[in-house]
Amino acid sequence: MGVHRIGLVVPSSNVTVETEMPALLNRHPVSAFSFHSTRMRMHQVSAEELAAMNAQRERCVMEIADASPDAILYACLVALMVGGPGEHQRVEGAVAEQLATGGSDAIIRSSAGALVEALRAMDAKRIAIVTPYMRPLAEKVVAYLEAEDFTVVDWRALEVADNAEVGCIPGDRVMDAARSLDLTDVDALVLSCCVQMPSLPLIDDAEREFGIPVLSAATAGAYSILRGLGLSASIDGAGSLLRTDLASVPA
């Protein structure tokens, strides 16, 4: 069995996605993965620092392409959503062109695009979200998702500006925010609308507690990578999104 090489383009202060993505994909019952990162400088989650971070994208893509990955995840959701509706399509297209020009056949996904893809795969139209962002950035995330034809019924912004601190937000604070949401007639809950805010250990318990599908930027990213590589979405313990194909995997 070959090893699928996964490239991650991450903000320099991020640590969670490099923890949660291997934890997710290494549970896959029939496939193996390795993980390789490149970093863009960013400390404060502000529009200005996000713009400066995005300006480093081409360098980072070239660097990670040198490792010959099979798939690359641009792992900062808000960095694209602040660019306005459809930004994930524009950026994924630009990166795909850059990779092709450089001779790489890696597939490119973004956390922003993966969340949209996952919500559509779940046929979720009415959603609720928990974000760590300051309120003005959280409002841009809500507007972005609504431009993709989702109705954001309710949302919470934990208003943590320091990106290193986002990676230390305790699970009980995330769950308290989720419990304060109006989940009436909600199709899905995005428990962490950010790859830096930890939530993976919470997903399954949250599904049981709230009685609706629960996902995160990380589980959506894993789903998108698996689908892009033609692999089954068959990972237990990470919410119903990643159990889509579990029954079809040989015991």
Side-chain angles (χ1 to χ4, degrees), residues 2 54 91 133:
N54 283 331
V91 169
Y133 312 123

Side-chain angles (χ1 to χ4, degrees), residues 79-143:
L80 298 193
M81 289 194 178
V82 295
E87 182 72 357
H88 72 274
Q89 294 170 318
R90 188 191 71 78
V91 169
E92 289 176 11
V95 173
E97 185 175 338
Q98 183 185 355
L99 289 168
T101 301
S104 170
D105 57 2
I107 63 166
I108 175 67
R109 296 292 186 269
S110 68
S111 294
L115 183 59
V116 171
E117 177 188 355
L119 288 168
R120 287 187 178 144
M122 301 171 86
D123 198 28
K125 297 177 174 61
R126 293 170 55 82
I127 65 173
I129 68 174
V130 178
T131 82
Y133 312 123
M134 302 303 288
R135 192 173 182 88
L137 288 180
E139 288 171 344
K140 287 183 178 292
V141 170
V142 170

Side-chain angles (χ1 to χ4, degrees), residues 45-229:
V45 190
S46 65
E48 295 75 21
E49 285 213 24
L50 289 168
M53 184 192 77
N54 283 331
Q56 302 166 57
R57 185 188 72 231
E58 290 190 10
R59 169 189 61 81
C60 286
V61 169
M62 288 172 63
E63 289 178 356
I64 201 65
D66 287 345
S68 301
D70 299 303
I72 296 173
L73 179 69
Y74 194 84
C76 186
L77 180 143
V78 72
L80 298 193
M81 289 194 178
V82 295
E87 182 72 357
H88 72 274
Q89 294 170 318
R90 188 191 71 78
V91 169
E92 289 176 11
V95 173
E97 185 175 338
Q98 183 185 355
L99 289 168
T101 301
S104 170
D105 57 2
I107 63 166
I108 175 67
R109 296 292 186 269
S110 68
S111 294
L115 183 59
V116 171
E117 177 188 355
L119 288 168
R120 287 187 178 144
M122 301 171 86
D123 198 28
K125 297 177 174 61
R126 293 170 55 82
I127 65 173
I129 68 174
V130 178
T131 82
Y133 312 123
M134 302 303 288
R135 192 173 182 88
L137 288 180
E139 288 171 344
K140 287 183 178 292
V141 170
V142 170
Y144 195 96
L145 291 169
E146 293 198 324
E148 293 288 340
D149 295 325
F150 303 107
T151 298
V152 181
V153 175
D154 202 1
W155 57 278
R156 293 290 179 270
L158 299 184
E159 299 204 86
V160 179
D162 185 290
N163 199 46
E165 288 184 22
V166 171
C168 300
I169 294 173
D172 58 359
R173 187 176 176 195
V174 177
M175 287 300 293
D176 285 346
R179 291 181 183 116
S180 75
L181 293 164
D182 180 1
L183 299 177
T184 307
D185 296 325
V186 163
D187 300 320
L189 166 63
V190 184
L191 191 58
S192 176
C193 205
C194 171
V195 294
Q196 171 70 338
M197 185 166 74
S199 68
L200 183 56
L202 310 174
I203 300 289
D204 253 13
D205 287 343
E207 279 203 345
R208 284 189 286 270
E209 177 174 337
F210 300 124
I212 57 174
V214 176
L215 70 160
S216 69
T219 62
Y223 177 87
S224 186
I225 287 170
L226 290 170
R227 284 289 188 246
L229 293 174

